[in-house]
Amino acid sequence: MKHLLSVTDLDAAAATALLDTADRLKQALLGREVRKLPTLRGRTVITMFYEDSTRTRVSFEVAGKWMSADTVNVSAKGSSVGKGESLRDTALTLAAMGADCVIVRHPASGAAHRLAAWADRDRAATGTDTCIVNAGDGTHEHPTQALLDAATLRDRLGSVAGRRIGIVGDVLHSRVARSNVFLLATLGADVVLVAPPTLLPVGVQQWPCRISHEIDAELSTLDAVMTLRVQAERMRGAFFPSAREYAIGYGLSDERAAALPQHAVVLHPGPMVRGMEIAPSVADSARSAILAQVRNGVHVRMAVLYHLLAGAPE
Ligand code: ASP
Ligand code: CP
């Protein structure tokens, strides 16, 4: 694996290998007083975020540090991006400073793919073989989120294959939804997207999933339900009448959580808007795996860095 740009670059074997590595790293660190493996000593990992982030940016930094890499964070605010420097010049500058891996989040769909193409083309000029990881590009993809969600489903349900997973809410603006649909389908899950027609993207009928507009018709059949944040910052116009009406139509309330099978798991990629897409009592309930997702995020990102920078283990 040269870069991680899209879950569609991963077949079931490659995705499972990443999840297995994440599991092994988790086990290797369990109970250790000093959470430090020497695996990536001397490697430089740079996060370059043009959009806000708590989980992804911090967990990549922690993942790199736990594997002894040198980690550096760059955000658009405070960098020379503010003086008009382009994405390409910024990335090439970081590569020329010896970045072995650049992890990028950007509001433009396709930004990580462009960076990877430049990194490959300009390898000789920058003097570094830099790999690129997509940490969220516009409304397109968020591959490490889908991997950590799959890791969490494996932990909680024992397997992903054959499980029915409902993804509910603002699919239109969600890179998490797209990455999850494609990765979960690759891993053999049966995925149903539940959203109002206004919050579904053009072409969704070609995705490997079923579409529903009725959350209450789906709940009793689900092994897991993933609620999506309503991405207000990406909305130009009104996609539903009001927050209250959205919550009535699609929010995961106590009553809806009670309609799930007993074993079913609740996921949310975060950040949550409590009370709108998910009731606080459901987010904090025993069936919620939301903080387990965050914990798995560190191990999955360790695995991604490991496979990219040290090669997949035998
Ligand atoms: N944090 C995720 C993302 O950046 C989900 C969200 O913000 O709603 O895509
Ligand atoms: N889930 C997720 O990507 O969270 P952040 O936006 O906080 O990184």
Side-chain angles (χ1 to χ4, degrees):
M1 187 164 76
K2 176 74 181 75
H3 306 289
L4 179 60
L5 306 175
S6 163
V7 294
T8 59
D9 297 335
L10 301 172
D11 59 17
T16 304
L18 278 168
L19 298 178
D20 289 346
T21 301
D23 269 348
R24 280 202 289 275
L25 289 164
K26 189 198 279 192
Q27 293 311 322
L29 290 168
L30 213 65
R32 279 199 186 209
E33 210 165 288
V34 179
R35 279 179 292 200
K36 211 61 161 174
L37 304 172
T39 330
L40 298 182
R41 198 160 41 202
R43 313 307 293 270
T44 300
V45 173
I46 300 188
T47 65
M48 190 168 104
F49 276 55
Y50 287 73
E51 278 187 355
D52 295 344
S53 169
T54 298
R55 279 148 285 269
T56 313
R57 191 175 57 74
V58 176
S59 63
F60 264 115
E61 185 178 357
V62 171
K65 287 190 190 315
W66 284 3
M67 290 195 296
S68 307
D70 295 307
T71 57
V72 180
N73 298 315
V74 181
S75 55
K77 290 182 210 108
S79 73
S80 285
V81 169
K83 300 182 211 165
E85 190 163 33
S86 70
L87 175 65
R88 178 168 186 267
D89 286 335
T90 305
L92 294 182
T93 300
L94 298 178
M97 281 190 269
D100 294 297
C101 186
V102 172
I103 294 147
V104 64
R105 171 170 288 189
H106 198 280
S109 299
H113 286 77
R114 297 298 302 273
L115 272 189
W118 292 323
D120 290 343
R121 202 187 63 194
D122 296 320
R123 195 175 305 160
T126 60
T128 314
D129 197 4
T130 307
C131 61
I132 306 294
V133 176
N134 182 1
D137 61 327
T139 58
H140 179 230
E141 275 226 39
H142 192 349
T144 58
Q145 177 70 44
L147 284 163
L148 75 87
D149 292 335
T152 308
L153 291 169
R154 263 188 11 163
D155 285 353
R156 287 290 180 109
L157 300 174
S159 68
V160 173
R163 299 298 187 165
R164 180 170 292 178
I165 318 296
I167 302 179
V168 181
D170 182 6
V171 178
L172 177 63
H173 301 100
S174 174
R175 50 200 177 204
V176 173
R178 183 191 303 261
S179 288
N180 262 290
V181 166
F182 283 87
L183 183 68
L184 291 172
T186 297
L187 293 173
D190 171 16
V191 185
V192 55
L193 287 176
V194 187
T198 51
L199 288 177
L200 286 168
V202 172
V204 73
Q205 292 75 13
Q206 274 77 56
W207 293 15
C209 61
R210 194 164 59 76
I211 312 289
S212 165
H213 306 306
E214 290 296 332
I215 186 170
D216 296 309
E218 305 296 335
L219 291 169
S220 66
T221 69
L222 298 179
D223 295 299
V225 59
M226 178 186 301
T227 55
L228 301 169
R229 183 174 65 88
V230 172
Q231 314 247 315
E233 76 276 21
R234 297 190 204 283
M235 291 185 178
R236 308 272 172 274
F239 291 84
F240 45 84
S242 68
R244 194 175 136 67
E245 277 163 276
Y246 178 88
I248 291 170
Y250 292 93
L252 192 58
S253 58
D254 282 314
E255 295 72 29
R256 288 192 170 129
L260 289 164
Q262 202 119 52
H263 70 275
V265 184
V266 170
L267 304 177
H268 192 302
M272 287 182 272
V273 182
R274 286 171 180 256
M276 186 169 177
E277 64 250 4
I278 188 165
S281 46
V282 178
D284 299 331
S285 67
R287 62 163 86 238
S288 163
I290 295 169
L291 290 177
Q293 289 172 270
V294 175
R295 279 191 292 275
N296 280 329
V298 178
H299 303 120
V300 158
R301 287 169 178 131
M302 289 174 80
V304 167
L305 293 176
Y306 187 48
H307 281 225
L308 286 170
L309 296 176
E314 288 300 308

